[in-house]
PDB file of all heavy atoms in Angstrom:
ATOM      1  N   VAL Z  95       4.676  15.995  -6.679  1.00 98.00           N
ATOM      2  CA  VAL Z  95       5.810  16.781  -7.141  1.00 98.00           C
ATOM      3  C   VAL Z  95       6.139  16.465  -8.565  1.00 98.00           C
ATOM      4  O   VAL Z  95       6.378  17.348  -9.365  1.00 98.00           O
ATOM      5  CB  VAL Z  95       7.021  16.492  -6.206  1.00 98.00           C
ATOM      6  CG1 VAL Z  95       8.207  17.230  -6.693  1.00 98.00           C
ATOM      7  CG2 VAL Z  95       6.741  16.814  -4.744  1.00 98.00           C
ATOM      8  N   LYS Z  96       6.071  15.222  -8.863  1.00 98.00           N
ATOM      9  CA  LYS Z  96       6.399  14.803 -10.293  1.00 98.00           C
ATOM     10  C   LYS Z  96       5.345  15.340 -11.291  1.00 98.00           C
ATOM     11  O   LYS Z  96       5.658  15.744 -12.377  1.00 98.00           O
ATOM     12  CB  LYS Z  96       6.441  13.269 -10.375  1.00 98.00           C
ATOM     13  CG  LYS Z  96       7.674  12.651  -9.788  1.00 98.00           C
ATOM     14  CD  LYS Z  96       7.748  11.130 -10.171  1.00 98.00           C
ATOM     15  CE  LYS Z  96       8.994  10.469  -9.718  1.00 98.00           C
ATOM     16  NZ  LYS Z  96       9.094   9.255 -10.271  1.00 98.00           N
ATOM     17  N   GLU Z  97       4.079  15.304 -10.863  1.00 98.00           N
ATOM     18  CA  GLU Z  97       2.983  15.885 -11.690  1.00 98.00           C
ATOM     19  C   GLU Z  97       3.281  17.438 -11.891  1.00 98.00           C
ATOM     20  O   GLU Z  97       3.213  17.830 -13.039  1.00 98.00           O
ATOM     21  CB  GLU Z  97       1.677  15.654 -11.066  1.00 98.00           C
ATOM     22  CG  GLU Z  97       0.542  15.945 -12.076  1.00 98.00           C
ATOM     23  CD  GLU Z  97      -0.855  15.632 -11.526  1.00 98.00           C
ATOM     24  OE1 GLU Z  97      -1.060  14.556 -10.943  1.00 98.00           O
ATOM     25  OE2 GLU Z  97      -1.811  16.475 -11.732  1.00 98.00           O
ATOM     26  N   TYR Z  99       6.108  18.868 -11.822  1.00 98.00           N
ATOM     27  CA  TYR Z  99       7.330  18.904 -12.661  1.00 98.00           C
ATOM     28  C   TYR Z  99       6.914  18.757 -14.174  1.00 98.00           C
ATOM     29  O   TYR Z  99       7.359  19.514 -15.016  1.00 98.00           O
ATOM     30  CB  TYR Z  99       8.331  17.891 -12.236  1.00 98.00           C
ATOM     31  CG  TYR Z  99       9.563  17.869 -13.053  1.00 98.00           C
ATOM     32  CD1 TYR Z  99      10.561  18.827 -12.895  1.00 98.00           C
ATOM     33  CD2 TYR Z  99       9.746  16.948 -14.069  1.00 98.00           C
ATOM     34  CE1 TYR Z  99      11.693  18.818 -13.606  1.00 98.00           C
ATOM     35  CE2 TYR Z  99      10.824  16.941 -14.862  1.00 98.00           C
ATOM     36  CZ  TYR Z  99      11.841  17.882 -14.709  1.00 98.00           C
ATOM     37  OH  TYR Z  99      12.971  17.885 -15.460  1.00 98.00           O
ATOM     38  N   ALA Z 100       6.140  17.674 -14.356  1.00 97.00           N
ATOM     39  CA  ALA Z 100       5.678  17.427 -15.803  1.00 97.00           C
ATOM     40  C   ALA Z 100       4.913  18.615 -16.349  1.00 97.00           C
ATOM     41  O   ALA Z 100       5.091  19.079 -17.419  1.00 97.00           O
ATOM     42  CB  ALA Z 100       4.880  16.208 -15.879  1.00 97.00           C
ATOM     43  N   THR Z 149      13.704  10.706  -8.913  1.00 91.00           N
ATOM     44  CA  THR Z 149      14.134  11.154 -10.279  1.00 91.00           C
ATOM     45  C   THR Z 149      12.829  11.795 -10.931  1.00 91.00           C
ATOM     46  O   THR Z 149      11.759  11.671 -10.354  1.00 91.00           O
ATOM     47  CB  THR Z 149      14.673  10.042 -11.146  1.00 91.00           C
ATOM     48  OG1 THR Z 149      13.579   9.115 -11.402  1.00 91.00           O
ATOM     49  CG2 THR Z 149      15.865   9.338 -10.426  1.00 91.00           C
ATOM     50  N   THR Z 150      13.062  12.255 -12.101  1.00 88.00           N
ATOM     51  CA  THR Z 150      11.916  12.881 -12.895  1.00 88.00           C
ATOM     52  C   THR Z 150      11.227  11.790 -13.748  1.00 88.00           C
ATOM     53  O   THR Z 150      10.349  12.062 -14.522  1.00 88.00           O
ATOM     54  CB  THR Z 150      12.341  14.045 -13.715  1.00 88.00           C
ATOM     55  OG1 THR Z 150      13.361  13.537 -14.611  1.00 88.00           O
ATOM     56  CG2 THR Z 150      12.904  15.188 -12.849  1.00 88.00           C
ATOM     57  N   ALA Z 151      11.667  10.508 -13.576  1.00 87.00           N
ATOM     58  CA  ALA Z 151      11.157   9.417 -14.436  1.00 87.00           C
ATOM     59  C   ALA Z 151       9.599   9.283 -14.166  1.00 87.00           C
ATOM     60  O   ALA Z 151       9.210   9.488 -13.030  1.00 87.00           O
ATOM     61  CB  ALA Z 151      11.858   8.130 -14.070  1.00 87.00           C
ATOM     62  N   LYS Z 152       8.946   9.011 -15.196  1.00 86.00           N
ATOM     63  CA  LYS Z 152       7.428   8.718 -15.150  1.00 86.00           C
ATOM     64  C   LYS Z 152       6.690   9.966 -14.570  1.00 86.00           C
ATOM     65  O   LYS Z 152       5.632   9.752 -13.906  1.00 86.00           O
ATOM     66  CB  LYS Z 152       7.099   7.557 -14.338  1.00 86.00           C
ATOM     67  CG  LYS Z 152       7.584   6.251 -15.017  1.00 86.00           C
ATOM     68  CD  LYS Z 152       7.106   5.010 -14.208  1.00 86.00           C
ATOM     69  CE  LYS Z 152       7.700   3.769 -14.807  1.00 86.00           C
ATOM     70  NZ  LYS Z 152       7.716   2.680 -13.960  1.00 86.00           N
ATOM     71  N   ALA Z 153       7.256  11.108 -14.889  1.00 91.00           N
ATOM     72  CA  ALA Z 153       6.508  12.361 -14.458  1.00 91.00           C
ATOM     73  C   ALA Z 153       5.467  12.714 -15.507  1.00 91.00           C
ATOM     74  O   ALA Z 153       5.919  13.022 -16.683  1.00 91.00           O
ATOM     75  CB  ALA Z 153       7.419  13.482 -14.203  1.00 91.00           C
ATOM     76  N   ILE Z 154       4.242  12.627 -15.184  1.00 96.00           N
ATOM     77  CA  ILE Z 154       3.164  12.958 -16.230  1.00 96.00           C
ATOM     78  C   ILE Z 154       2.144  13.864 -15.594  1.00 96.00           C
ATOM     79  O   ILE Z 154       1.866  13.722 -14.398  1.00 96.00           O
ATOM     80  CB  ILE Z 154       2.457  11.703 -16.882  1.00 96.00           C
ATOM     81  CG1 ILE Z 154       1.986  10.773 -15.821  1.00 96.00           C
ATOM     82  CG2 ILE Z 154       3.390  11.074 -17.927  1.00 96.00           C
ATOM     83  CD1 ILE Z 154       1.177   9.643 -16.421  1.00 96.00           C
ATOM     84  N   CYS Z 155       1.579  14.708 -16.428  1.00 97.00           N
ATOM     85  CA  CYS Z 155       0.444  15.549 -15.925  1.00 97.00           C
ATOM     86  C   CYS Z 155      -0.670  15.529 -16.943  1.00 97.00           C
ATOM     87  O   CYS Z 155      -0.633  16.289 -17.888  1.00 97.00           O
ATOM     88  CB  CYS Z 155       0.980  16.942 -15.632  1.00 97.00           C
ATOM     89  SG  CYS Z 155      -0.473  17.989 -15.035  1.00 97.00           S
ATOM     90  N   GLU Z 159      -1.812  17.935 -20.149  1.00 97.00           N
ATOM     91  CA  GLU Z 159      -1.777  17.364 -21.578  1.00 97.00           C
ATOM     92  C   GLU Z 159      -3.069  17.786 -22.213  1.00 97.00           C
ATOM     93  O   GLU Z 159      -3.160  18.105 -23.395  1.00 97.00           O
ATOM     94  CB  GLU Z 159      -1.664  15.861 -21.510  1.00 97.00           C
ATOM     95  CG  GLU Z 159      -0.215  15.459 -21.154  1.00 97.00           C
ATOM     96  CD  GLU Z 159      -0.097  13.878 -20.982  1.00 97.00           C
ATOM     97  OE1 GLU Z 159      -1.054  13.174 -21.300  1.00 97.00           O
ATOM     98  OE2 GLU Z 159       0.928  13.471 -20.479  1.00 97.00           O
TER      99      GLU Z 159
END
Side-chain angles (χ1 to χ4, degrees):
V95 177
K96 284 190 175 190
E97 191 177 316
Y99 177 80
T149 68
T150 58
K152 291 186 187 159
I154 50 170
C155 180
E159 286 173 12

